[in-house]
Amino acid sequence: ETGIVGIDFLPRGTNIVTRRPTIIQLNYTAYAERAWAEFSHRPGEKYYDFAKVKEEIEVDTDRRAGKNKGISPEPIIVKIFSRTVVDLTLVDLPGMTKVPTGDQQHNIEQVIAELNMRFITPKNAIIMAVCAANVDLANSDALKIARRVDPLGERTIGVITKIDLMDEGTNAIEILSGKVIPLKLGYVGVVGRSQKDILQQKTIDDALKAEDRFFRTSPTYAGLSNRLGVPYLVHTLNKIIVDH
């Protein structure tokens, strides 16, 4: 989501970070010289400092879900107004986890699965299943839960991350071409910021340039580079939503 928005505003870290559904409403605003954000729970306030947006997400998450890794089904709604985004609503959902930690319920896997199902079941929802290229696609939790509500793969798009971290001698060509698990909307490969990049405060713009350079100069992916990367994913999502 951070790459799609082009602004660093979502909390990041190890273990489970997204502990409430985060509804991100992007609004193309031609007159916005500076992007800003607004929260539904703080009406009338404009946030121009996106470090404060990240802080508010963390504070409000703790307020509703506790400070010790608890999960809450109540969504955070943040609207972002910018002239560099397309009109799009994204929902960032908690990632699947199997072993409870902190104050999480003993049946945390079922709790998160039911929460995710609530958002992906409606027929007008497009499911963005994020899968790591260096893990067997057949073991993807995202595709597994997507298949429960979209068995024919008609409204699921696969986003393949960590392509740059695959073992030497392997590649994601068969995954990206849909030969492993077919999806009607296909797959888009992306290269995001690593945890090290985030800690070193690598900007989104620099990360996008590095991603573009990786695909264009790769002997494996250069021929597909015009259909890979976050900018292509944004364009594709916008078109899918309009068509849908």
Side-chain angles (χ1 to χ4, degrees):
E1 284 86 356
T2 297
I4 291 171
V5 178
I7 300 169
D8 189 0
F9 73 102
L10 288 172
R12 281 290 172 262
T14 55
N15 207 302
I16 186 164
V17 178
T18 302
R19 299 187 290 119
R20 291 172 60 187
T22 305
I23 299 174
I24 306 158
Q25 299 174 344
L26 304 183
N27 298 272
Y28 170 70
T29 310
Y31 64 84
E33 292 189 16
R34 292 169 60 201
W36 78 86
E38 298 176 9
F39 288 97
S40 62
H41 65 273
R42 300 188 73 90
E45 293 187 38
K46 291 185 177 182
Y47 290 73
Y48 289 94
D49 181 351
F50 280 84
K52 296 289 186 184
V53 174
K54 185 183 295 187
E55 186 179 295
E56 179 59 30
I57 290 173
E58 291 172 339
V59 167
D60 203 57
T61 294
D62 288 348
R63 185 170 63 85
R64 290 292 180 180
K67 296 186 177 183
N68 195 18
K69 302 181 175 63
I71 300 293
S72 169
E74 184 180 347
I76 297 176
I77 302 174
V78 55
K79 296 181 179 181
I80 295 178
F81 301 84
S82 171
R83 58 184 179 189
T84 62
V85 299
V86 296
D87 290 324
L88 195 64
T89 295
L90 304 163
V91 183
D92 186 19
L93 293 167
M96 298 302 297
T97 187
K98 294 175 173 58
V99 180
T101 59
D103 292 332
Q104 291 173 357
Q105 300 95 318
H106 67 91
N107 60 336
I108 188 63
E109 183 177 12
Q110 180 185 344
V111 169
I112 293 178
E114 289 176 357
L115 173 59
N116 288 348
M117 288 288 285
R118 187 186 311 171
F119 283 90
I120 68 174
T121 298
K123 299 296 184 186
N124 65 337
I126 300 298
I127 304 166
M128 190 163 61
V130 181
C131 317
N134 56 356
V135 176
D136 185 355
L137 204 63
N139 294 326
S140 165
D141 284 326
L143 285 176
K144 180 181 176 182
I145 194 170
R147 182 165 281 185
R148 287 169 62 182
V149 296
D150 181 30
L152 300 179
E154 293 177 322
R155 56 185 180 92
T156 301
I157 181 170
V159 179
I160 307 300
T161 65
K162 301 185 179 178
I163 289 179
D164 54 326
L165 301 181
M166 295 186 76
D167 289 340
E168 196 169 341
T170 64
N171 64 60
I173 294 297
E174 287 205 341
I175 295 173
L176 294 170
S177 62
K179 292 180 180 177
V180 180
I181 298 177
L183 294 175
K184 183 181 176 184
L185 301 179
Y187 292 83
V188 178
V190 301
V191 175
R193 295 181 302 168
S194 65
Q195 189 62 27
K196 180 182 176 184
D197 290 336
I198 293 168
L199 291 172
Q200 292 181 345
Q201 298 185 324
K202 186 174 186 176
T203 67
I204 305 296
D205 191 47
D206 284 345
L208 291 174
K209 287 175 181 174
E211 176 191 60
D212 179 60
R213 187 164 55 249
F214 173 82
F215 286 129
R216 279 191 300 101
T217 61
S218 164
T220 304
Y221 303 108
L224 299 172
S225 61
N226 64 332
R227 291 187 284 119
L228 297 170
V230 171
Y232 179 75
L233 174 61
V234 172
H235 170 78
T236 302
L237 288 174
N238 184 248
K239 185 176 186 305
I240 287 169
I241 293 292
V242 170
D243 291 347
H244 196 59

